Amino acid sequence: MKKWLCFLSVLALTAGCAANPKTPETIPETSPEPTAETTPVSLSILGPTGAPALALIAPMKAGQDVTLVDGTDVLQAAFVNPNPEYDVIVAPSNLGAKLAANGKTTYRMESVLTWGNLYLVAADEAVLENAGVFAAFGEGAVPGKVLETVLQANPVTPEITWYTSVAEVQGAMLAGKADVALMAEPAATATIAKAKENGQELKIVMDLQEQWKTATGTQGYPQAALFVRQDLPEEKKAAVETMLQSMRDYLDQAEQDPSIVEADIETLGAQTLGVPGGAVIAKTWTRMNLNIVNTQEVQSELESFLTLFGITELAGILAE
């Protein structure tokens, strides 16, 4: 009898469980903590066309707000604007340095971007020892100062005639009005190629960068530099560092494979950058001497170069 009672009790209990199954506890879904979207910090950048613009290909590809201008008038105006419009200015190092030294700008030099692209072009080296016409540009500016420094150690016979631009020097050389010319790459290579089309053989007869090193005992001259506003907020300062690293990475890749520059110039537009076609730039890439170095690492080079422009102290010029 007891066995039957036990059996019936178990049966009833089993039926009860089936009729009233235990509802599992509902665990509320947890939403991830809201996080701010990682959006690139936009930088406004002003720079010159030509060789320095090639250092800005990486930020241009990344969609940064890059404005390129011809000549230095707009650059100088931007430096002294009491209401700065740009976060970053790329300019001839002596231009920004002189304004900073005289307390006329809030921008400070953060990195050197280019280390010279000046060369002498002639039919052969013998031209330098014979009477003739020497076409040059940039009197009183970087090209002229570098040329004068080099010629003190390497005198030449042809008499210098100063022109206002490298384009005018190119014209004089192609028209046979000059025997030797001071030119900047990539214009030097473009001129040599154009001359060949006209049956004239020209070549590079002197590398002024190498001669500068010999004459001054430094590793080179800082031709163009990147200047940053002193009052940038922290997030923009970090964005500048990120941008500079992307620029270094790009230049490293281009050194290994200049064809990437050729493709990018075709995409961005050679006219926008102020350079000949991508094929010419790829061919002359190693002679452009683009190398991004923090100013704190090249103070002796800066001192040697800026002395030519009457700047003897770096205080108040370099970014901290």
Side-chain angles (χ1 to χ4, degrees):
M1 185 66 177
K2 289 180 178 180
K3 290 181 178 180
W4 280 103
L5 288 173
C6 288
F7 174 74
L8 291 173
S9 297
V10 172
L11 187 63
L13 181 61
T14 303
C17 289
N20 299 288
K22 184 179 179 181
T23 303
E25 293 183 15
T26 302
I27 301 174
E29 293 184 6
T30 57
S31 299
E33 290 293 325
T35 57
E37 291 186 10
T38 304
T39 55
V41 177
S42 179
L43 294 170
S44 54
I45 305 161
L46 176 67
T49 54
L54 299 174
L56 294 172
I57 288 178
M60 291 177 74
K61 289 177 63 178
Q64 292 288 8
D65 181 13
V66 179
T67 301
L68 298 176
V69 295
D70 188 20
T72 60
D73 290 347
V74 175
L75 300 176
Q76 180 158 333
F79 271 122
V80 301
N81 189 341
N83 300 302
E85 183 180 354
Y86 299 96
D87 301 315
V88 173
I89 297 177
V90 172
S93 57
N94 60 297
L95 173 63
K98 193 162 189 177
L99 292 171
N102 293 332
K104 294 182 178 180
T105 184
T106 59
Y107 290 85
R108 296 293 180 265
M109 192 189 301
E110 204 285 339
S111 293
V112 175
L113 304 187
T114 68
W115 295 87
N117 59 339
L118 298 171
Y119 300 86
L120 299 190
V121 174
D124 56 58
E125 291 81 357
V127 170
L128 300 176
E129 301 174 1
N130 301 323
V133 178
F134 189 149
F137 73 102
E139 185 177 15
V142 173
K145 293 288 189 181
V146 170
L147 177 63
E148 289 169 359
T149 301
V150 168
L151 292 186
Q152 286 176 7
N154 301 273
V156 297
T157 304
E159 185 175 348
I160 295 177
T161 298
W162 292 100
Y163 290 84
T164 58
S165 69
V166 69
E168 289 187 1
V169 170
Q170 181 185 48
M173 199 67 184
L174 292 174
K177 296 179 179 179
D179 303 291
V180 58
L182 169 66
M183 308 200 77
E185 284 287 21
T189 294
T191 302
I192 292 170
K194 187 67 176 177
K196 190 169 186 178
E197 293 177 5
N198 300 332
Q200 185 182 7
E201 291 294 331
L202 297 176
K203 65 179 181 177
I204 290 174
V205 295
M206 183 182 290
D207 180 335
L208 265 64
Q209 289 63 234
E210 291 303 316
Q211 295 301 327
W212 172 275
K213 293 177 184 178
T214 301
T216 65
T218 64
Q219 293 303 305
Y221 61 95
Q223 189 168 8
L226 183 143
F227 296 80
V228 180
R229 275 175 56 187
Q230 282 186 296
D231 59 351
L232 283 185
E234 290 303 318
E235 63 270 18
K236 286 207 170 187
K237 289 180 181 178
V240 170
E241 289 300 321
T242 300
M243 179 187 73
L244 283 166
Q245 187 56 54
S246 72
M247 291 163 65
R248 292 187 190 96
D249 292 343
Y250 183 85
L251 296 183
D252 287 343
Q253 294 171 22
E255 185 176 356
Q256 300 298 319
D257 182 12
S259 67
I260 68 171
V261 181
E262 180 176 354
D264 288 335
I265 288 173
E266 297 307 319
T267 300
L268 296 172
Q271 187 172 3
T272 298
L273 295 166
V275 298
V280 174
I281 296 299
K283 183 178 180 180
T284 61
W285 186 255
T286 58
R287 292 201 294 273
M288 305 297 285
N289 293 314
L290 277 72
N291 183 27
I292 300 172
V293 186
N294 185 273
T295 53
Q296 300 297 331
E297 300 177 26
V298 288
Q299 293 195 38
S300 61
E301 281 73 16
L302 284 164
E303 289 170 352
S304 176
F305 178 68
L306 294 176
T307 298
L308 297 177
F309 301 91
I311 303 170
T312 57
E313 294 286 341
L314 296 182
I317 294 176
L318 308 186
E320 297 181 357

